Amino acid sequence: MNSSERIAAFSCAYRPQDMGERLLQACVRSLLDTYSVAVAGANEPASLAARRYARAEAGLDLHLGAHLWGGAEEAVSLESAALCNGIAAHVLDYDDVTPMFRGHASVALWPALSALAEAMDIDSARLASAYVVGFEVLCGLARGMAIEQYARGWHTTASIGILGCTAGCAHLLGLDPQQTVNALGLAVAQAGGVRENVGTQAKSFQAGQCNAAALRAALLAREGFEASADAIDGEFGYLGLYGAGTAAALPGELGNAPLELERSGLDVKKYPMCYATHRALDGLLAIKHGHGIDAAQVRAVHVRASAGALVPLVHPCPRTGLEGKFSMQYAVAAALLDGAVRLASFTDAAVCRPAAAELMARTSVAEADGDMFPKWAEVEIVLRDGRSLAQRVERLGGSQQAPLTDADLREKAADCLQWAGREQGDARRLWDAASRLGRISSRQLFQELRFGT
């Protein structure tokens, strides 16, 4: 079988009862994190623009489709919900990541899967298994091509994520093997997203578009729309073109234990900015709080990281909140000035503080030569009194090796709700709602999530 046929075989064979409690709980945690981050991002300019688009698309007939996250009772079409919720969940750059994928897996999956499941009132156990299927496929593809594709400038969250999302949508809809193959071919026809958009609203659009396009591909295939069975493997197909001829075919048999959700897993972000800054931030904040360092005491900061670890950090002198999320220099300044790196650190006014500009000018950033893995970061703070304090970080807080506790995850959700101006929201209530995944209908699940915010 070729890659499309193997993905289709796995998607059709996998069942909700195959997951087990451990995988289900991984889905619960991912849904809570993605949903709460989307609520926090729902009022960002990019999200508001996307909502205006959705309303224009729907016209006066806001028929029952799917609801906007953080949008109270507002229902829009399925594609618009997938697009808008994808934008909202990614615009703050606070959503989870999978390092070997070189991207954000959950935001490439949950918005489309949730829109379909809510609108069609599919059992939420099937929604969870669709997430597992999508995650398995995108990681399987990523193993053979993500590093090279990302290095060439593709935004892998969207450019690989669309195939995983399409497989998940096909599973959710119960498409047969031929329909699933067609859906994957239609997804290839829409795959895109480039790193040049990092630090702009278009990056979050690429995540939303990934979901809307995947949903469109699955629904068209359900109606009999056809595509090449070799759209992934063929001479002029996805692997050859998007991998520049270097990509390996889909490895092994999909679905072998341990599944990718356990094997590759999810790293949950502690800080609402690019993951490439997080090891350095862990080290910097450990020094600051461990030694009681004030920003006024700092003469210079030197950051050094493993090869390739800093590639996404393209804004050494950011001028906006979005640009600040992709700046190691601003990460250092925010941590020293604010004592923590929270959502409030990324307003345009915060990034443009004169004190931040001074600290950024005194920060140097460099990558080491050698292997990309294992990743590490070293931080040295040089104080005005002549002392030098240093910290090396390898094991990253929030990663598979040092996961956030459930209490930590609820605290992050609370920060997101507060940022969205929803003080009446209860992070515990949101957690309780997400924990009902796999036990109630999807329509009821998302009603309870809205109630929780």
Side-chain angles (χ1 to χ4, degrees):
M1 293 189 289
N2 64 25
S3 293
S4 294
E5 290 165 341
R6 287 160 60 198
I7 292 171
F10 168 65
S11 174
C12 293
Y14 195 73
R15 304 170 302 167
Q17 55 265 40
D18 293 334
M19 284 190 297
E21 189 62 26
R22 184 174 176 179
L23 280 176
L24 180 59
Q25 285 306 306
C27 294
V28 166
R29 287 169 57 90
S30 171
L31 176 61
L32 171 70
D33 189 57
T34 306
Y35 187 92
S36 58
V37 168
V39 171
N43 291 319
E44 294 297 302
S47 301
L48 295 175
R51 283 192 191 182
R52 291 193 295 272
Y53 164 82
R55 293 180 187 123
E57 180 200 33
L60 298 177
D61 180 21
L62 289 179
H63 58 284
L64 179 62
H67 285 83
L68 298 178
W69 297 347
E73 293 301 314
E74 187 174 7
V76 296
S77 71
L78 295 186
E79 283 191 30
S80 289
L83 174 69
C84 293
N85 292 336
I87 289 171
H90 196 51
V91 70
L92 296 174
D93 224 275
Y94 209 4
D95 47 309
D96 65 41
V97 301
T98 298
M100 59 78 59
F101 171 45
R102 300 291 280 173
H104 304 250
S106 292
V107 79
L109 297 170
W110 281 122
L113 297 177
S114 299
L116 274 176
E118 181 190 0
M120 299 181 178
D121 203 19
I122 298 170
D123 189 276
S124 67
R126 184 83 181 176
L127 171 60
S129 65
Y131 177 84
V132 173
V133 167
F135 195 94
E136 185 78 4
V137 171
L138 68 83
C139 284
L141 287 165
R143 286 191 179 279
M145 68 187 305
I147 292 176
E148 174 67 19
Q149 192 187 92
Y150 189 86
R152 286 175 53 80
W154 292 101
H155 181 205
T156 49
T157 297
S159 57
I160 296 177
I162 187 174
L163 294 172
C165 188
T166 299
C169 289
H171 173 82
L172 188 64
L173 291 169
L175 300 190
D176 64 31
Q178 184 57 57
Q179 290 172 319
T180 303
V181 167
N182 287 332
L184 291 165
L186 293 169
V188 169
Q190 305 174 83
V194 296
R195 279 175 40 219
E196 193 63 36
N197 280 323
V198 166
T200 74
Q201 293 177 351
K203 181 173 184 281
S204 62
F205 168 80
Q206 289 171 178
Q209 169 64 8
C210 158
N211 282 272
L215 186 152
R216 182 185 305 125
L219 289 174
L220 283 169
R222 187 181 67 162
E223 299 304 320
F225 207 106
E226 298 177 349
S228 170
D230 292 312
I232 294 177
D233 290 333
E235 180 182 1
F236 303 111
Y238 178 86
L239 291 179
L241 297 175
Y242 286 69
T246 64
L250 193 67
E253 291 296 327
L254 290 170
N256 287 346
L259 292 182
E260 288 285 2
L261 189 53
E262 296 175 298
R263 182 182 175 193
S264 299
L266 296 166
D267 289 10
V268 177
K269 284 191 173 185
K270 293 170 61 179
Y271 314 113
M273 66 182 309
C274 181
Y275 208 42
T277 65
H278 285 217
R279 281 182 175 81
L281 283 173
D282 276 358
L284 184 71
L285 289 169
I287 296 172
K288 174 177 171 56
H289 296 307
H291 295 271
I293 300 301
D294 183 81
Q297 299 174 262
V298 176
R299 176 183 295 167
V301 178
H302 305 297
V303 178
R304 188 165 174 265
S306 50
L310 308 180
V311 169
L313 303 179
V314 295
H315 292 292
C317 301
R319 296 164 296 177
T320 67
L322 271 177
E323 289 182 355
K325 289 175 179 289
F326 300 91
S327 172
M328 180 66 81
Q329 289 81 356
Y330 182 68
V332 168
L336 289 173
L337 290 170
D338 301 336
V341 181
R342 300 291 189 194
L343 290 165
S345 300
F346 294 95
T347 63
D348 291 351
V351 171
C352 292
R353 288 174 285 180
E358 292 176 8
L359 284 167
M360 287 191 283
R362 299 200 298 270
T363 299
S364 69
V365 180
E367 281 186 2
D369 296 326
D371 296 333
M372 291 181 64
F373 300 101
K375 291 189 175 184
W376 53 267
E378 294 175 345
V379 178
E380 180 188 15
I381 300 179
V382 181
L383 300 178
R384 296 187 184 278
D385 62 10
R387 286 183 296 157
S388 179
L389 305 172
Q391 183 96 9
R392 180 184 173 98
V393 176
E394 296 178 1
R395 194 172 76 157
L396 180 57
S399 68
Q400 282 271 83
Q401 293 71 39
L404 298 187
T405 66
D406 290 349
D408 291 334
L409 197 55
R410 287 194 294 270
E411 183 179 348
K412 175 180 174 179
D415 181 42
C416 289
L417 295 178
Q418 183 178 7
W419 178 254
R422 295 175 180 270
E423 287 83 3
Q424 77 278 14
D426 180 353
R428 164 62 77 172
R429 195 166 56 194
L430 197 61
W431 169 266
D432 290 343
S435 296
R436 304 232 313 146
L437 176 68
R439 296 171 173 85
I440 57 177
S441 75
S442 291
R443 193 166 291 166
Q444 184 180 355
L445 172 68
F446 287 99
Q447 181 179 0
E448 292 187 11
L449 283 168
R450 291 198 304 280
F451 177 73
T453 57

